[in-house]
Amino acid sequence: MRIIVMDNYDEMSKKAALMIASQVMLKPNSVLGLATGDTPIGMYKELTKLYNKRDIDFKEVRTFNLDEYYGINHENHQSYYYFMNANLFNNINIVRENIYMPNGMEKDVNTSCNEYETKIKELGGIDMQVLGIGGNGHIGFNEPNVNFEAETHLVNLEEETIKANSRFFKSINDVPVKAISMGIKTIMNSKKIILLASGLNKAKAIERAVNGKINPNIPASILQLHNDVTIILDKEAASSL
Ligand code: GLP
């Protein structure tokens, strides 16, 4: 694991955006794995800036998102589909057909999860996967007591995650209790992984993921076994290391 500590959130975001830009420069048709949440918003802003300066071209890039809430449609402002359009896709020259996201309204979940996995494999696998981390150490929506073998699947969200994500919803009762998420196996099959974390509330999870035992209770700890992981932190998130 390579750990990079930046002075603050903005510097963390810039560093992550430059890594993605380098990936796309070296391989213009890269397959990127993308994440949602507050943490990558600054990185998406930086990527948009780089695109506006013509330093990065998304024309051939393909993307797969990590996860999506189950039971909310694309028009819902809390869907990750809506988030990705607002924070990145609407602002760059990505081709719509090259964007893949789990479908939160799918009735036949197993089939659609299998199709998602097949598509990732068909396109040659994920070249660079971006991750955030939950306060409980989750990655994507792979909650504690995770099955390290799982591919894309339907998950039940932990109370802690529902509470944490309720800040985006009118009331905690509006937060979906299920989501579709790439599994740990999907994430671990990515060629490169960058994990971003910012703020004191992530410090403990980062410390346990980096220095703790590899343990299904801290899903991010499995990343210790990946051979190309870069963790980009601000000072607060690194404060327990
Ligand atoms: C959510 C997402 C994760 C994200 C995590 C942290 O539950 N499913 O992909 O990494 O929470 O979110 P934030 O960056 O807002 O702290």
Side-chain angles (χ1 to χ4, degrees):
M1 274 179 168
R2 194 167 152 239
I3 297 176
I4 301 177
V5 182
M6 304 301 292
D7 277 345
N8 53 46
Y9 176 81
D10 288 347
E11 296 302 316
M12 176 202 77
S13 303
K14 272 184 206 155
K15 182 64 99 186
L18 287 174
M19 280 189 188
I20 293 181
S22 313
Q23 169 66 39
V24 173
M25 244 177 253
L26 289 170
K27 187 183 175 202
N29 67 345
S30 286
V31 178
L32 301 178
L34 299 178
T36 51
D38 276 337
T39 313
I41 289 178
M43 177 192 80
Y44 292 139
K45 282 203 179 103
E46 289 299 326
L47 282 174
T48 304
K49 277 190 208 158
L50 291 171
Y51 165 71
N52 287 334
K53 287 196 290 171
R54 299 294 176 261
D55 284 340
I56 177 170
D57 186 355
F58 290 91
K59 192 170 70 225
E60 295 176 49
V61 167
R62 286 82 53 87
T63 63
F64 285 88
N65 262 79
L66 260 181
D67 47 16
E68 176 61 286
Y69 288 119
Y70 187 65
I72 63 179
N73 61 34
H74 285 171
E75 284 76 46
N76 189 314
H77 287 203
Q78 301 314 329
S79 71
Y80 287 168
Y81 178 88
Y82 190 93
F83 173 102
M84 287 308 302
N85 279 329
N87 287 292
L88 185 68
F89 298 149
N90 288 347
N91 313 326
I92 58 172
N93 67 335
I94 191 155
V95 176
R96 286 280 147 184
E97 289 69 43
N98 289 342
I99 296 171
Y100 299 91
M101 297 207 50
N103 182 352
M105 293 304 282
E106 192 54 69
K107 287 223 172 67
D108 186 353
V109 186
N110 286 340
T111 306
S112 82
C113 289
N114 290 340
E115 284 169 1
Y116 203 63
E117 287 291 329
T118 307
K119 197 72 206 175
I120 294 173
K121 284 171 196 137
E122 242 175 61
L123 298 189
I126 294 170
D127 291 302
M128 182 175 270
Q129 175 68 54
V130 179
L131 297 175
I133 187 168
N136 61 4
H138 76 226
I139 46 178
F141 268 131
N142 294 286
E143 298 282 25
N145 292 320
V146 70
N147 168 13
F148 285 146
E149 294 290 312
E151 296 191 321
T152 302
H153 63 305
L154 186 66
V155 291
N156 293 315
L157 302 182
E158 288 265 301
E159 217 177 300
E160 186 177 337
T161 303
I162 294 173
K163 228 188 252 164
N165 289 357
S166 67
R167 67 191 193 275
F168 300 113
F169 291 81
K170 271 199 202 113
S171 111
I172 193 158
N173 299 323
D174 294 335
V175 187
V177 293
K178 288 177 192 282
I180 299 172
S181 179
M182 280 185 195
I184 295 291
K185 190 169 171 193
T186 326
I187 294 170
M188 291 295 281
N189 278 337
S190 311
K191 289 161 203 154
K192 294 190 179 77
I193 295 176
I194 57 178
L195 183 146
L196 312 186
S198 156
L200 266 185
N201 60 334
K202 298 292 170 71
K204 215 169 92 198
I206 287 293
E207 197 279 325
R208 295 174 76 188
V210 171
N211 293 332
K213 270 203 178 143
I214 298 168
N215 173 353
N217 277 324
I218 302 291
S221 64
I222 191 72
L223 298 175
Q224 294 175 30
L225 294 182
H226 193 281
N227 64 11
D228 197 339
V229 177
T230 304
I231 300 189
I232 313 173
L233 307 170
D234 65 7
K235 278 187 179 153
E236 283 83 16
S239 59
S240 294
L241 290 178

